């Protein structure tokens, strides 16, 4: 695994990484390829938080990275010598640690905050596993039920979309949580018989819109660098 990962971000993501080379109080240990990682990168960019970008291949388990995060996972964030990990914990941490940095990824009142958390949880626990199962379904007969399951999860999600973003006009943590998997649906389109239209016209509209968000575009590497990561599943 370690060797199939290109050593650094490319394309728009490389330009973003290079704009954040200088030392800052917050160090973002990032794996350019990782969808969980992209959630944190999108949040940092959305909020304009000063950060130092450090590329890490987490599969190499280098000691200098294990010293920061003994779990050896990206994304990891270090502030004042203290590290945190887990993408959704990190997104909430950035919200709490930089309350003056706008926009908030929890726009609105306490109810809306709860609503955002519920649907982030749905993305994490109900949608992402269906994406993984469809990706891992090599045999044709396993693909159809896996595809149906993923499409059903996306329809359940879509029924709650106000448009153009999940909550309406304001981008939120729900959009951040799902955007990396929308950006990575080309492998499903090319190899698993999935289309955005097959979910619904509303889903396609939402998905097309979310991946055009500046913070998502700025954290995206070149397509051909993602492709080898999926090769072992195809
Ligand atoms: N639940 C974690 C998942 C993070 C994760 O799985 N990161 C992968 C890369 S996409 C990783 O660092 N893997 C290294 C390993 O498993 O050793 C999160 O949300 O941050």
């Amino acid at each position: 695994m370690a060797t199939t990962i290109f050593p650094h971000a490319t394309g728009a993501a490389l330009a973003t990484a290079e704009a954040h080379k200088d030392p800052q109080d917050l160090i973002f240990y990032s794996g350019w390829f990782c969808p969980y990682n992209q959630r944190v990168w999108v949040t940092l960019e959305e909020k304009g938080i000063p950060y130092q970008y450090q590329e890490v291949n987490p599969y190499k388990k280098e000691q200098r990275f294990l010293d920061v995060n003994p779990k050896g996972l990206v994304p990891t964030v270090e502030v004042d010598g203290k590290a945190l990990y887990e993408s959704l914990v990190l997104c909430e941490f950035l919200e709490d640690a930089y309350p003056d940095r706008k926009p908030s990824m929890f726009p609105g009142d306490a109810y809306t905050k709860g609503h955002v958390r519920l649907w982030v949880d749905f993305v994490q626990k109900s949608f992402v596993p269906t994406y993984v199962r469809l990706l891992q379904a090599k045999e044709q007969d396993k693909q159809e039920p896996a595809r149906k399951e993923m499409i059903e999860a996306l329809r359940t999600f879509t029924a709650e979309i106000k448009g153009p973003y999940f909550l309406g006009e304001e981008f939120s943590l729900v959009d951040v949580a799902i955007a990396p998997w929308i950006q990575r649906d080309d492998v499903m389109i090319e190899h698993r018989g999935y289309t955005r239209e097959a979910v619904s016209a509303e889903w396609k509209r939402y998905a097309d819109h979310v991946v055009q968000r500046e913070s998502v575009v700025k954290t995206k590497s070149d397509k051909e660098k993602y492709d080898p990561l999926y090769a072992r599943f195809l």
Side-chain angles (χ1 to χ4, degrees):
M1 184 70 193
T3 50
T4 55
I5 298 175
F6 195 73
H8 56 76
T10 53
L14 177 61
T16 307
E18 289 197 328
H20 292 272
K21 277 198 303 221
D22 294 341
Q24 297 291 347
D25 293 342
L26 187 154
I27 305 173
F28 173 40
Y29 294 93
S30 168
W32 66 266
F33 61 91
C34 173
Y36 303 97
N37 189 83
Q38 193 178 8
R39 288 172 168 166
V40 176
W41 205 358
V42 164
T43 305
L44 286 165
E45 283 295 316
E46 283 288 333
K47 300 176 81 63
I49 295 169
Y51 66 94
Q52 182 183 8
Y53 185 96
Q54 284 204 14
E55 190 70 57
V56 174
N57 180 335
Y59 298 100
K60 286 193 177 163
K61 304 290 171 211
E62 284 170 321
Q63 194 55 48
R64 66 185 173 92
F65 181 52
L66 292 175
D67 289 344
V68 180
N69 176 359
K71 299 224 171 206
L73 296 178
V74 290
T76 293
V77 160
E78 183 182 353
V79 187
D80 297 332
K82 291 185 288 192
L84 286 171
Y85 45 87
E86 279 300 317
S87 57
L88 296 172
V89 171
L90 291 174
C91 292
E92 290 217 20
F93 165 74
L94 295 174
E95 203 58 39
D96 293 340
Y98 301 86
D100 299 331
R101 294 270 172 182
K102 302 294 176 204
S104 168
M105 295 296 107
F106 288 103
D109 56 12
Y111 169 81
T112 310
K113 191 167 190 175
H115 182 65
V116 166
R117 285 204 171 110
L118 270 182
W119 286 95
V120 166
D121 195 60
F122 178 89
V123 170
Q124 184 75 351
K125 295 187 184 146
S126 300
F127 161 66
V128 171
T130 70
Y131 177 101
V132 174
R133 280 196 284 275
L134 180 55
L135 184 63
Q136 290 176 340
K138 272 193 188 175
E139 296 86 4
Q140 288 287 340
D141 60 325
K142 294 201 177 123
Q143 284 176 19
E144 197 186 331
R147 187 167 53 242
K148 265 194 183 158
E149 186 192 36
M150 188 176 104
I151 287 175
E152 271 316 305
L154 290 175
R155 285 188 180 145
T156 303
F157 180 86
T158 304
E160 296 291 323
I161 295 172
K162 296 227 174 61
Y165 295 114
F166 186 80
L167 289 182
E169 291 302 324
E170 292 185 277
F171 192 70
S172 73
L173 191 59
V174 183
D175 307 303
V176 174
I178 201 166
W181 281 268
I182 303 175
Q183 188 206 291
R184 287 160 179 76
D185 69 5
D186 44 3
V187 60
M188 300 297 182
I189 293 167
E190 288 163 27
H191 301 281
R192 294 290 184 260
Y194 162 84
T195 61
R196 291 179 186 172
E197 292 87 339
V199 178
S200 66
E202 291 77 22
W203 167 254
K204 177 167 165 39
R205 206 162 30 247
Y206 170 79
D208 290 354
H209 194 67
V210 165
V211 290
Q212 285 167 38
R213 180 87 179 180
E214 191 183 358
S215 57
V216 178
V217 173
K218 282 174 78 176
T219 54
K220 180 181 175 181
S221 281
D222 293 334
K223 175 177 160 30
E224 68 267 21
K225 297 293 187 293
Y226 293 95
D227 290 344
L229 303 170
Y230 300 116
R232 69 197 166 107
F233 299 111
L234 304 177

